[in-house]
Amino acid sequence: MPLRNLAIIAHVDHGKTTLVDEMLRQSGAVRENSDMAERAMDSNDIERERGITILAKCTSVLWEGGDEPVRLNIVDTPGHADFGGEVERILSMVDGCLLLIDATEGPMPQTKFVLSKALALGMKPIVVLNKVDRPSADPDTALDAAFDLFAALGANDEQLDFPVVYAAGRDGWADHSLEGPRENLIPLFETILDRIPAPTVAENAADEPFRMLATTLEADPFLGRILTGRIISGKAKPGVTMKALSRDGNLIEQARVSKVLAFRGLKRQPVDEAAPGDIIAIAGFSKASVSDTLCDMAVTDALPAQPIDPPTLSITLAPNDSPLAGREGDKVQSRVIRERLMRQAEGDVAITITETESKDAFEVAGRGELQLGVLIENMRREGFELAVSRPRVVTRLDENGQALEPIEEVVIDVDDDYSGVVIEKLSQKKADLVEMKPAGAGKTRLIMHVPSRALIGYHGEFLTDTRGTGVMNRSYLEHAPHKGPIEGRRNGVLISNGDGTAVPYAIWNLEERGVMFIQPGEQIYEGMIVGENAKPNDLDVNPLKAKQLTNIRAAGKDDAVKLTPPKRMSLEQAIAYIDDDELVEVTPKSIRLRKIALKPHLRKKRAKDNLQG
């Protein structure tokens, strides 16, 4: 049966997963009367809650609208820059791609990132201008910007001659022009069959030894490791013994293939045989990972694998050692945390794990705050208790020994009234303004090159400055010479000086000192951060002090204590908020802030040592 392998690539929230939903419905992969969840490809709980794709996933549809049935293997990829490692590997598995562009926003930073990877592999993308039914849509401007982006990224003449499809994925229609009938996705399927080539397979590839590059990895409770990739040569059959080779050709392991799974609609089905060019999943290996070559015993050379962009941000994860440790989670030992992190690193090549000198803490480096936040959130839901440090950027040394830090390209769409405050704040953080232009509808688009460390925790401040109307997108640009010191948090914190239960009367008295993070009845301990001080210095306070009760009646009647609701932070906000001498205590039920040294005299000693050091 004829095959087409394609990926859907785009910036975050431009409608990839919603379009895949409609392709599944209209191709008959999902029965019309059957119940299909919205964004069916987002199977992970966190993906559903946040409305983003985190893991690349394969699906398959059988299109029978042409002369003969054609099987389309479709890969839905993440749109967020933090998960770009997935996109790089996926593109090496397919022969073409749909580049989705929001007709209102036009090309965005992640559009540039994924398109550069596709063009580098020689692909000829099909441009889909999505959401053209929106009142604010401007497809012509978006198309001009897309052409400029192709040219800026060095596309050749064939790549510049890209086909354009206008679509509204949510409503399930696509057309070759804006004036089309807008009935269904048939024009999109026709363009795919016409412009995306069939897999390039050598003449006698089916008779050669089996070879496949593993591009994604997942764990199944029944089948163990499942490695997905495209067959380069030979046939995959269950029960055959194969071996896995690393990128440099070293033998990793030999294993018997227990299952060969092909993608059929939203499900994977076992098959007895798979031919070259098809995208399949293989179960049976216990050590092989992403970028490894799965092959016949006779093969000696590994397949070339895509290099991965380096991590830009790192945090330290350690077992929770606070006085409240072990009360909410059941996985608190460093050994269990180590096993879980090593498992994560196997399946996610954009994350690297290293042990610290103390051996019970782990340095976790990744692409950004969101990626690291999702990892910690997953571990938290699995019952882990962790102490998380402030994020640090991953620096490098050039050939002269000079420190290089990661720089990000930040694209900001903001109301005209707020552009000044955004430029001022980011300029203080050593950012360079590259471009400033009107974006229509009273908005300004700013393009700035900003050190990654300046953006840690900035998003909340940005939303406050723009009254929640600003949109900020960022992507890794390069490592450049260190830009010097950047001012951090200006306010100190309020630190509890005792262990116990917070009292309403004490919190009421402390409200004049700053913003509180806790509410009455919460368990607190010495060294825990209970609020933000209105002044720059840290302050030890007593949130446990109850009102003295006497049998002498007061002259005025006692009013009921009225408290301001506490400021509650999400996991990412808490990690970005803390300073170098603070930690976030993460448990399945709570997120608490604390000082690394809980006792005041130890904090003073630590501060003194840092000054001398």
Side-chain angles (χ1 to χ4, degrees), residues 505 508 547-550 552-561:
Y505 179 73
W508 180 66
K547 186 175 183 184
Q548 293 299 314
L549 299 176
T550 71
I552 300 168
R553 186 171 296 175
K557 70 177 186 358
D558 292 337
D559 291 328
V561 173

Side-chain angles (χ1 to χ4, degrees), residues 300-430:
T300 54
D301 296 329
L303 293 166
Q306 275 292 107
I308 305 298
D309 278 355
T312 58
L313 213 59
S314 75
I315 52 173
T316 303
L317 293 185
N320 182 17
D321 61 353
S322 86
L324 301 179
R327 298 192 185 186
E328 296 173 3
D330 55 358
K331 299 182 177 76
V332 293
Q333 307 93 332
S334 62
R335 172 184 56 81
V336 182
I337 294 169
R338 182 181 186 281
E339 286 170 9
R340 173 66 179 82
L341 290 174
M342 292 307 171
R343 243 189 1 258
Q344 181 73 23
E346 284 173 356
D348 191 344
V349 292
I351 277 183
T352 57
I353 314 287
T354 50
E355 282 186 280
T356 58
E357 292 174 7
S358 61
K359 294 293 182 187
D360 61 343
F362 307 91
E363 192 92 4
V364 183
R367 284 277 177 86
E369 289 165 80
L370 179 63
Q371 184 189 31
L372 298 172
V374 166
L375 167 63
I376 296 165
E377 182 64 40
N378 274 323
M379 292 179 69
R380 176 189 182 197
R381 293 179 185 204
E382 291 163 21
F384 285 88
E385 287 200 7
L386 303 164
V388 185
S389 76
R390 176 174 170 77
R392 301 171 300 280
V393 293
V394 179
T395 55
R396 288 193 219 152
L397 295 175
D398 64 8
E399 56 271 13
N400 302 321
Q402 186 185 12
L404 302 177
E405 66 172 332
I407 305 291
E408 299 193 26
E409 183 172 79
V410 181
V411 177
I412 295 168
D413 286 316
V414 63
D415 290 350
D416 296 342
D417 297 346
Y418 305 129
S419 59
V421 68
V422 172
I423 293 171
E424 183 189 353
K425 283 271 178 80
L426 286 175
S427 298
Q428 289 171 359
K429 293 174 178 283
K430 303 287 197 290

Side-chain angles (χ1 to χ4, degrees), residues 95 97 99 115-127 146-147 149-151 153-164 195:
D95 304 290
C97 61
L99 176 69
L115 179 60
S116 66
K117 299 292 179 188
L119 295 176
L121 290 166
M123 288 184 191
K124 299 165 194 164
I126 296 168
V127 172
F147 187 86
L149 181 61
F150 271 72
L153 293 173
N156 59 35
D157 292 345
E158 285 184 322
Q159 290 169 328
L160 282 170
D161 186 25
F162 52 80
V164 180
R195 301 300 289 254

Side-chain angles (χ1 to χ4, degrees), residues 287-300:
K287 292 179 186 170
S289 183
V290 168
S291 299
D292 293 339
T293 302
L294 312 183
C295 55
D296 192 83
M297 298 300 288
V299 175
T300 54

Side-chain angles (χ1 to χ4, degrees), residues 66-257:
D67 300 334
E68 58 179 331
V70 180
R71 180 163 300 287
L72 307 178
N73 288 324
I74 303 169
V75 190
D76 181 22
T77 61
H80 203 286
D82 284 19
F83 309 106
E86 291 273 326
V87 182
E88 296 167 56
R89 299 197 310 271
I90 291 301
L91 289 175
S92 63
M93 186 168 73
V94 297
D95 304 290
C97 61
L98 301 183
L99 176 69
L100 251 70
I101 296 175
D102 188 310
T104 303
E105 294 184 348
M108 297 297 278
Q110 188 66 4
T111 314
K112 180 179 178 181
F113 172 79
V114 293
L115 179 60
S116 66
K117 299 292 179 188
L119 295 176
L121 290 166
M123 288 184 191
K124 299 165 194 164
I126 296 168
V127 172
V128 180
L129 289 172
N130 198 22
K131 307 185 186 182
V132 293
D133 55 330
R134 280 184 168 187
S136 57
D138 188 353
D140 294 337
T141 305
L143 183 57
D144 289 345
F147 187 86
D148 292 343
L149 181 61
F150 271 72
L153 293 173
N156 59 35
D157 292 345
E158 285 184 322
Q159 290 169 328
L160 282 170
D161 186 25
F162 52 80
V164 180
V165 177
Y166 299 90
R170 187 187 58 188
D171 299 333
W173 65 262
D175 266 303
H176 296 299
S177 71
L178 281 169
E179 292 74 38
R182 303 190 173 191
E183 293 171 352
N184 50 39
L185 290 176
I186 289 175
L188 178 62
F189 282 113
E190 288 173 346
T191 309
I192 289 170
L193 297 185
D194 185 38
R195 301 300 289 254
I196 292 182
T200 47
V201 175
E203 266 186 55
N204 303 318
D207 304 323
E208 291 178 9
F210 176 81
R211 289 182 304 152
M212 179 182 109
L213 184 70
T215 47
T216 64
L217 166 70
E218 60 186 290
D220 185 277
F222 305 107
L223 297 174
R225 279 179 177 233
I226 297 179
L227 294 147
T228 303
R230 182 169 79 165
I231 303 175
I232 304 297
S233 64
K235 291 183 178 176
K237 297 179 184 176
V240 175
T241 301
M242 293 185 189
K243 66 180 178 181
L245 300 175
S246 64
R247 281 177 66 179
D248 46 13
N250 295 326
L251 177 67
I252 297 169
E253 64 170 325
Q254 295 180 4
R256 183 175 166 274
V257 176

